[in-house]
Amino acid sequence: MRKAFFKGLLGGLLVLAGQGHAGEIETLEVKDAWLRAAPPVASSMAGYLTITNAGAQPRTVVGITSDFAGHVMLHETVTREDGTRAMRHLHRLTVAPGETVTLAPGGKHLMFMDLKRVPGEGETVQICFDMEVSTDCEAFPVRKAAPSDH
Amino acid sequence: MRKLPYILPMLLLVLLAGCDKPESDLPVNTRLGGEFTLTDQDGQPYTHADLKGQVSVLFFGYTHCPDICPAVLARVAQVYRQLDEAGEAEGFQPVFITFDPERDTAEHLKQYLPWFKADMIGLTGSLEQIRQVAEQYGVVFIKGQEEQDYLFTHSDYIYLLDDQARVRKLYPADFKIDEVINDAKSLL
């Protein structure tokens, strides 16, 4: 399932960049978006997705919001030389033209904190991405396990 | 017909041998493990001796961990549920040890773990007790500097223990569910 992503981005960027061409497809596309279900007493949750920049300009995510979390961060789980895993805060995420960035368990991910509620398995939640020049939202189904776990 | 008296006892021996549980070929790891005392989610003491008499999947983590730990918890729960659905979960016990006793109290673990529907035992304790058991299993954990919403840098191996609480195999956090199921079955 591949969907057009951040359609609102197109107009804004073309205007700002001033170099759009008629008929040029400038969209970010997202697939495999999902939020890992967690116990009702959980204090944080993680979200995952794959973003492809099919346009000609780099796209940068500078902020993420959702109605169920007071604070959302971009994080990356990294493996250190001694084999331990550490969390790194990414302040922004730039997707270069033609690049696909995968946010997946054990790697880059969205971290939802200060939870106002814990969305349940089977729910779909809206996650909104601030792209500097526009904000657009994507539906994230809440799943108990990664698609790869099945 | 004269060979029958010899064949029958041999046949009996073969049949009896077939009744024995096949010995697992998983090697015993003598460097990991040891005596410890922690507290389970019911507030009761839980020691190394309590691990005996069951095949355990033992793993460390903390419930405020957003990425790795929930993934491991979910995968271990899948191991349990698949064994359960096959009627083979008897004697199989997932055991979760937190290295964040400040937030993962027995009460919190009691609220958090049942959601995974894996009959999981959650263990907490004093920081000193947890450091000791972590060291016994070669687990490293380093608390982040943040005052609130702190995270840990940590190792994330999963340990399969036999019914004598001996470590028989280690797996990475993204272990193959079928592999753990098959290994556990060889010990059950």
Side-chain angles (χ1 to χ4, degrees):
Chain A
M1 189 176 72
R2 202 171 174 85
K3 292 185 284 186
F5 186 45
F6 307 148
K7 288 173 188 165
L9 181 69
L10 175 61
L13 275 182
L14 289 178
V15 170
L16 281 183
Q19 55 186 17
H21 303 288
E24 183 176 359
I25 300 170
E26 293 201 3
T27 58
L28 284 184
E29 294 177 338
V30 66
K31 62 176 185 175
D32 301 334
W34 66 288
L35 191 70
R36 184 184 293 284
V41 295
S43 62
S44 62
M45 295 178 81
Y48 308 99
L49 72 163
T50 297
I51 307 170
T52 298
N53 183 356
Q57 302 296 321
R59 304 285 179 258
T60 301
V61 177
V62 294
I64 303 140
T65 54
S66 69
D67 63 358
F68 67 91
H71 193 199
V72 190
M73 293 170 87
L74 266 167
H75 273 188
E76 181 171 22
T77 301
V78 293
T79 305
R80 305 196 315 175
E81 277 184 12
D82 62 359
T84 56
R85 308 273 221 146
M87 204 80 87
R88 193 158 64 100
H89 179 201
L90 306 175
H91 295 277
R92 51 210 286 132
L93 178 68
T94 299
V95 188
E99 186 186 14
T100 294
V101 175
T102 300
L103 281 71
K108 293 187 180 75
H109 56 276
L110 310 177
M111 179 172 166
F112 300 86
M113 295 173 292
D114 299 334
L115 301 182
K116 296 167 189 166
R117 67 182 188 90
V118 176
E121 183 184 10
E123 260 191 67
T124 298
V125 293
Q126 292 291 310
I127 313 293
C128 298
F129 295 79
D130 179 0
M131 307 285 291
E132 288 184 315
V133 292
S134 69
T135 299
D136 214 333
C137 301
E138 181 70 14
F140 277 59
V142 184
R143 294 184 182 149
K144 206 159 187 172
S148 59
D149 285 346
H150 293 292
Chain B
M1 277 305 281
R2 276 194 294 175
K3 286 183 180 170
L4 198 59
Y6 303 101
I7 292 170
L8 278 176
M10 284 177 70
L11 206 61
L12 198 61
L13 276 174
V14 169
L15 285 172
L16 284 173
C19 293
D20 284 344
K21 197 181 88 171
E23 196 63 31
S24 173
D25 57 4
L26 297 174
V28 174
N29 185 320
T30 56
R31 298 170 68 180
L32 298 175
E35 302 293 329
F36 67 83
T37 300
L38 292 170
T39 302
D40 71 15
Q41 69 265 46
D42 294 318
Q44 299 302 310
Y46 192 98
T47 70
H48 178 255
D50 291 312
L51 290 171
K52 294 181 179 176
Q54 64 192 23
V55 172
S56 310
V57 164
L58 182 77
F59 57 110
F60 294 74
Y62 64 113
T63 69
H64 286 60
C65 163
D67 183 36
I68 296 281
C69 312
V72 171
L73 280 157
R75 293 170 73 76
V76 168
Q78 269 190 275
V79 169
Y80 176 87
R81 286 199 298 271
Q82 287 188 30
L83 281 168
D84 193 37
E85 283 162 16
E88 297 178 279
E90 181 78 31
F92 177 77
Q93 182 61 62
V95 180
F96 171 80
I97 301 178
T98 183
F99 40 64
D100 184 16
E102 195 177 321
R103 294 180 296 193
D104 288 342
T105 59
E107 295 77 17
H108 182 69
L109 293 178
K110 194 174 174 67
Q111 291 179 315
Y112 186 88
L113 293 175
W115 183 85
F116 291 94
K117 295 186 173 65
D119 193 28
M120 218 172 273
I121 288 175
L123 301 179
T124 185
S126 69
L127 194 55
E128 190 183 339
Q129 287 173 318
I130 290 169
R131 278 198 196 289
Q132 181 206 323
V133 68
E135 197 173 311
Q136 288 168 341
Y137 285 90
V139 172
V140 174
F141 63 95
I142 304 160
K143 187 179 169 184
Q145 298 299 310
E146 304 86 353
E147 282 188 17
Q148 285 189 328
D149 297 326
Y150 56 85
L151 300 169
F152 283 86
T153 293
H154 60 96
S155 45
D156 54 9
Y157 279 102
I158 287 92
Y159 306 82
L160 180 66
L161 275 56
D162 64 18
D163 59 5
Q164 295 173 62
R166 300 176 304 182
V167 175
R168 301 295 291 265
K169 195 167 178 179
L170 272 68
Y171 308 89
D174 58 349
F175 61 84
K176 290 183 172 63
I177 289 167
D178 286 345
E179 181 184 351
V180 177
I181 288 174
N182 290 333
D183 291 340
K185 280 181 180 175
S186 78
L187 297 172
L188 282 166

